[in-house]
Amino acid sequence: VAALSEGPEWELAAYEYELERLTRAAHAANFTPPDRDAIAEYKIVKRDSSTLSLSECHKEYVAHFAPLVITGLEQVLLPPEAYAAPSIAEWLQEVVGNKRVG
């Protein structure tokens, strides 16, 4: 779904949602995350997946609660037939349809 949305507003909203989710999880685990004001000073970094290792991602971004938008994952996450459809959204509708989890 992230591949279907773009733009700074979406990126910021997605980051804020994820930050809130992680903060709740950290509190539930009795872990104190960094101060939100300190986190707010981070710039949203956009990196291509081909230039980012898992180790670097954890050390430089995840461990510091730093926002990161990883681009270039479409080829890894979506099969080739998704790109043959008129749009990825239509392909998802065709493949997933009205299926529910749970």
Side-chain angles (χ1 to χ4, degrees):
V1 176
L4 302 177
S5 303
E6 353 184 315
E9 297 83 19
W10 178 87
E11 291 169 2
L12 184 58
Y15 171 67
E16 287 174 345
Y17 171 82
E18 184 65 7
L19 180 61
E20 186 61 37
R21 186 186 72 75
L22 289 172
T23 300
R24 284 193 309 272
H27 285 299
N30 293 322
F31 171 76
T32 304
D35 183 79
R36 287 183 73 93
D37 291 334
I39 293 171
E41 294 178 15
Y42 285 120
K43 302 246 185 271
I44 297 177
V45 176
K46 192 181 277 192
R47 294 278 305 269
D48 188 85
S49 61
S50 65
T51 66
L52 182 67
S53 71
L54 185 58
S55 174
E56 180 185 8
C57 182
H58 279 275
K59 286 181 193 172
E60 300 298 322
Y61 302 99
V62 176
H64 301 284
F65 288 83
L68 174 64
V69 175
I70 303 173
T71 61
L73 291 173
E74 296 87 0
Q75 300 299 322
V76 176
L77 300 175
L78 296 173
E81 55 269 18
Y83 297 95
S87 76
I88 293 176
E90 288 180 28
W91 176 81
L92 284 171
Q93 177 62 37
E94 180 181 315
V95 172
V96 179
N98 294 323
K99 294 179 183 173
R100 295 176 187 248
V101 178

